[in-house]
Amino acid sequence: MSQQLKKFKQDQVRISQKRLKKTYPKELTIVAEGDSWFDYPFRKDVIDYLIKKGYAVDKYAKAGDTLENMVYGTEVKKRRNTYTNEGAISLQKTLSSIRKHKPRIVLFSAGGNDIVGSEILGYLNHSVSNPQSLVNKEIFQARLVEMKTAIEFFIKSVRATNVNCNILMDGYDYAKVNGKGYNFIFRNIKGPWLLPSFAAKQIGQKTKQKAIIKYLVDEFNEMLIDLDMQYENFHHIELRNKFPHESQWDNEIHLKNSGYKEIANIYHAKIEKIMGEDPIKVFKHSIV
């Protein structure tokens, strides 16, 4: 990480914490839970750019986190010969922050690691088995039902904590099957996630790979759209086809800085629409 980038990320954390300690406008206060799109190590992410705009963000996002862990808790601790589930720690922290700060907006980024992360292998049929579909739709649709139930649990928990909260959630854009992992200082830290999975199932044609990614991401987004129609405080953010070029992506499942900056602008525009005014302009004299 360059010194300039390191300073930028440190500054955003410091500035946001300073805002959260003050009596900051609720319209500019956000609680965020999510994955690496909200917590991208050694890179700028969506939350960094929202803070830069003037928001105070209490962030509980963690790179690599899964939807199931964020909502229910899947982390365990070993005590002697016993393994104990730690419970819904992440959700409780998020809800506690909502009680404390009473924000108008909660951001939720989840499901990417469940859909197009390493778990994609479990949704694929081996091409040699001559299947009707290269996607095992029965398994994937069952997983999608589980994910919908988890997101509904999150929505209801937030609403029970603060009825005035609006939850914003995007369904990502189409991941790129290019074999690029997450690198830092010329070292591969994690990934690639997609190309090895397709190779394991002998799915080598680019057109078939793209079609599978499109199906998975589309089904996930359609599920979020259904929730948007069902819950008035839940808002789906459309990102599909926003970043069609591989040059816009840092690796298979993460965007470059410019992409996350654009997403921050999209979130801000949605917040403005929900509130009926631009909170950055209205409360510009309160921004510190």
Side-chain angles (χ1 to χ4, degrees):
M1 184 191 302
S2 70
Q3 288 301 313
Q4 184 179 6
L5 176 57
K6 183 177 181 180
K7 185 177 185 303
F8 175 86
K9 290 189 76 73
Q10 288 175 341
D11 283 348
Q12 303 321 302
V13 173
R14 176 182 54 79
I15 291 168
S16 189
Q17 290 302 315
K18 181 179 179 181
R19 290 169 180 165
L20 290 168
K21 289 177 182 177
K22 293 173 64 69
T23 306
Y24 211 61
K26 300 295 180 273
E27 292 81 358
L28 292 179
T29 302
I30 294 172
V31 173
E33 168 65 299
D35 50 27
S36 54
W37 281 38
F38 285 179
D39 180 47
Y40 199 11
F42 314 121
R43 308 283 201 280
K44 296 177 184 179
D45 54 52
V46 176
I47 301 303
D48 289 325
Y49 286 113
L50 286 171
I51 295 169
K52 184 71 175 175
K53 279 183 173 294
Y55 289 100
V57 183
D58 199 14
K59 183 179 81 171
Y60 294 93
K62 184 174 64 176
D65 210 353
T66 63
L67 171 61
E68 189 173 41
N69 183 58
M70 292 180 211
V71 177
Y72 303 128
T74 59
E75 296 180 358
V76 297
K77 275 193 175 181
K78 182 180 180 181
R79 296 180 179 87
R80 296 182 181 178
N81 295 321
T82 303
Y83 289 90
T84 305
N85 185 294
E86 294 293 285
I89 296 174
S90 193
L91 177 62
Q92 292 307 317
K93 287 180 178 179
T94 300
L95 298 179
S96 294
S97 179
I98 292 171
R99 291 188 195 97
K100 179 179 179 180
H101 298 293
K102 298 178 175 59
R104 291 280 304 278
I105 300 295
V106 171
L107 303 185
F108 194 39
S109 177
N113 293 304
D114 307 77
I115 295 294
V116 294
S118 57
E119 289 192 33
I120 190 175
L121 189 65
Y123 308 138
L124 302 177
N125 288 317
H126 201 291
S127 64
V128 176
S129 69
N130 196 28
Q132 287 186 332
S133 171
L134 289 171
V135 177
N136 189 320
K137 294 184 178 180
E138 183 178 355
I139 290 177
F140 179 71
Q141 289 297 329
R143 182 72 180 113
L144 210 57
V145 169
E146 293 175 351
M147 295 176 72
K148 184 176 183 180
T149 299
I151 296 170
E152 284 189 282
F153 190 93
F154 183 84
I155 294 169
K156 292 175 182 178
S157 298
V158 170
R159 188 165 180 79
T161 303
N162 185 346
V163 71
N164 295 316
C165 274
N166 288 276
I167 303 166
L168 279 59
M169 182 176 184
D170 69 73
Y172 309 94
D173 198 357
Y174 302 114
K176 305 301 178 191
V177 186
N178 55 27
K180 292 182 181 179
Y182 171 56
N183 297 318
F184 179 62
I185 314 180
F186 306 109
R187 289 178 55 218
N188 181 262
I189 305 298
K190 201 167 186 180
W193 303 261
L194 305 176
L195 195 59
S197 295
F198 282 116
K201 300 292 186 174
Q202 292 191 27
I203 305 171
Q205 292 184 18
K206 279 285 186 183
T207 53
K208 291 181 178 179
Q209 293 170 352
K210 287 182 178 179
I212 290 169
I213 294 298
K214 187 176 188 304
Y215 170 77
L216 299 178
V217 174
D218 281 347
E219 289 294 296
F220 181 64
N221 273 273
E222 290 305 313
M223 179 263 284
L224 296 181
I225 291 171
D226 287 343
L227 291 172
D228 185 310
M229 297 175 65
Q230 186 176 349
Y231 295 95
E232 62 179 357
N233 67 318
F234 180 82
H235 308 272
H236 168 253
I237 305 295
E238 182 62 79
L239 294 181
R240 285 174 292 179
N241 291 315
K242 293 289 185 183
F243 310 99
H245 307 297
E246 285 204 17
S247 60
Q248 296 172 292
W249 292 73
D250 195 34
N251 50 56
E252 288 187 324
I253 62 174
H254 298 103
L255 294 163
K256 291 184 177 178
N257 293 343
S258 57
Y260 292 127
K261 184 176 183 179
E262 185 173 342
I263 293 175
N265 290 335
I266 292 170
Y267 271 101
H268 172 66
K270 184 65 175 181
I271 292 170
E272 184 178 354
K273 184 176 180 180
I274 290 171
M275 295 188 181
E277 60 186 12
D278 184 345
I280 299 295
K281 291 181 179 178
V282 173
F283 298 98
K284 63 181 180 181
H285 298 300
S286 300
I287 295 175
V288 295

